[in-house]
Amino acid sequence: MAEAKNLGVVGSGQMGSGIAQLGAMHGLHVWLLDTDPTALYRANKSISSSLQRFVSKGQISQAACTEALRRLEYTSNIDELRSADFIVEAIVESEDVKKKLFIELDKITKSSAILASNTSSISITRLASATSRPCQVIGMHFMNPPPIMKLVEIVRGADTSDETFHATKALAERFHKTIICSQDYSGFIVNRILMPMINEAFFTLYTGVATKEDIDTAMKLGTNHPIGPLELADFIGLDVCLSIMKVLHAGLGDSKYAPCPLLVRYVDAGRVGRKCGIGVYDYRKGSEPMKASPRL
């Protein structure tokens, strides 16, 4: 399979915009697709700011920054992905929503295009079953934020071809990522381990064992984590954490993966973390500022 030249990214949130930025920084022509024009506007500002930070730190030149921005296109028209060689979806963590997208992408993209999912927990085999090209569907799970985090988790579905795997691995290597490979089980590697820890931190808070501050301090200073599990949950998004716990619980069938009622309550109340200004901690103006800088 020829080296990818054109990258499509669906979803312009934190993950999608970060993946699009990576592609543009490494010489790909990138279309960033989102049905919400406001989200695309925010993504444009976020990517521009992120690239300027790379320039200010001496990690890329101003010319490279300008070139990367030139290679990026923002669109709400899915037909613009027709010429993409490789597409990564980074939309909401819902199997039904992702399947609907894959059905649509399968219809409009060229037959050689690889369809990758940035899902952190959902079965690649089941997503691939919604398409006529299951051999060209694969999991490519980036860590947040994608331009900074070194890891990519590659997940093969039951029918993913060797050619698709090698093309995906080559793209991750082009992005200078360290690659790990997981079998197609709920949560894969990272979230199979991480999310139960976060969920247990919520149970620790829920049952009154300790305050949120002491829970996070315990894990930072006691186990050398750069950020506490509750702070990290706020950074990821409590709604995302809850979705992944539900996938783990349903897919693995063990009660130990049942979401903590406190996590459920926060999400029901709309307290989903940093992106809305309040989660376990309050990030709104006038509140005590958080000093932690998420890097997990």
Side-chain angles (χ1 to χ4, degrees):
M1 184 175 285
E3 184 180 60
K5 294 181 179 177
N6 300 307
L7 175 68
V9 180
V10 185
S12 64
Q14 280 186 326
M15 296 304 295
S17 60
I19 296 165
Q21 178 183 325
L22 266 177
M25 288 174 70
H26 290 90
L28 293 167
H29 184 90
V30 181
W31 289 273
L32 180 56
L33 172 74
D34 201 297
T35 55
D36 181 1
T38 304
L40 287 174
Y41 174 77
R42 287 196 301 265
N44 190 343
K45 289 186 65 177
S46 173
I47 291 171
S48 297
S49 297
S50 177
L51 285 168
Q52 283 300 328
R53 285 194 295 273
F54 276 89
V55 172
S56 66
K57 293 176 181 177
Q59 295 173 317
I60 63 171
S61 67
Q62 185 61 56
C65 171
T66 302
E67 279 299 301
L69 290 171
R70 187 182 60 79
R71 285 190 286 266
L72 271 162
E73 292 190 38
Y74 302 85
T75 182
S76 293
N77 182 6
I78 195 169
D79 286 338
E80 299 220 29
L81 302 186
R82 287 184 183 277
S83 57
D85 303 307
F86 200 106
I87 296 172
V88 183
E89 71 79 12
I91 62 172
V92 63
E93 194 71 355
S94 161
E95 183 172 334
D96 289 342
V97 177
K98 288 180 187 292
K99 277 185 172 178
K100 287 177 183 176
L101 173 64
F102 270 65
I103 290 169
E104 201 169 354
L105 290 172
D106 190 39
K107 289 176 182 176
I108 65 103
T109 54
K110 57 188 181 182
S111 61
S112 60
I114 290 173
L115 307 180
S117 175
N118 183 58
T119 180
S120 54
S121 61
I122 297 168
S123 168
I124 300 303
T125 300
R126 292 202 300 271
L127 294 179
S129 72
T131 76
S132 63
R133 61 180 94 185
C135 62
Q136 291 162 237
V137 177
I138 195 164
M140 192 180 193
H141 178 210
F142 291 82
M143 306 299 129
N144 192 16
I148 295 172
M149 299 296 283
K150 301 295 185 185
L151 190 71
V152 166
E153 194 172 35
I154 295 179
V155 186
R156 296 177 70 150
D159 296 312
T160 304
S161 68
D162 288 343
E163 189 177 22
T164 296
F165 170 76
H166 290 304
T168 305
K169 183 172 180 285
L171 184 60
E173 289 170 344
R174 183 172 176 177
F175 293 163
H176 302 146
K177 300 301 184 184
T178 297
I179 298 156
I180 59 173
C181 299
S182 171
Q183 297 297 315
D184 191 18
Y185 290 104
S186 299
F188 315 135
I189 300 170
V190 173
N191 282 327
R192 176 77 175 264
I193 297 167
L194 174 63
M195 286 300 158
M197 182 191 74
I198 287 175
N199 197 48
E200 195 60 34
F202 272 95
F203 270 114
T204 305
L205 181 62
Y206 179 59
T207 56
V209 172
T211 64
K212 57 183 180 288
E213 293 85 1
D214 282 354
I215 292 167
D216 281 337
T217 299
M219 297 307 291
K220 286 187 285 188
L221 302 186
T223 62
N224 207 29
H225 288 197
I227 183 173
L230 298 174
E231 294 170 298
L232 180 57
D234 274 352
F235 182 66
I236 294 168
L238 303 193
D239 52 336
V240 175
C241 294
L242 179 58
S243 293
I244 295 170
M245 287 308 302
K246 287 179 177 178
V247 169
L248 288 172
H249 192 210
L252 300 172
D254 192 319
S255 61
K256 72 180 181 180
Y257 298 112
C260 176
L262 182 61
L263 173 58
V264 175
R265 187 187 306 166
Y266 278 177
V267 174
D268 286 346
R271 294 179 55 159
V272 295
R274 281 180 177 266
K275 59 189 172 185
C276 78
I278 186 168
V280 180
Y281 294 91
D282 193 340
Y283 306 91
R284 294 169 297 189
K285 192 172 182 179
S287 300
E288 182 72 19
M290 293 300 300
K291 297 179 180 178
S293 177
R295 283 295 178 265
L296 273 182

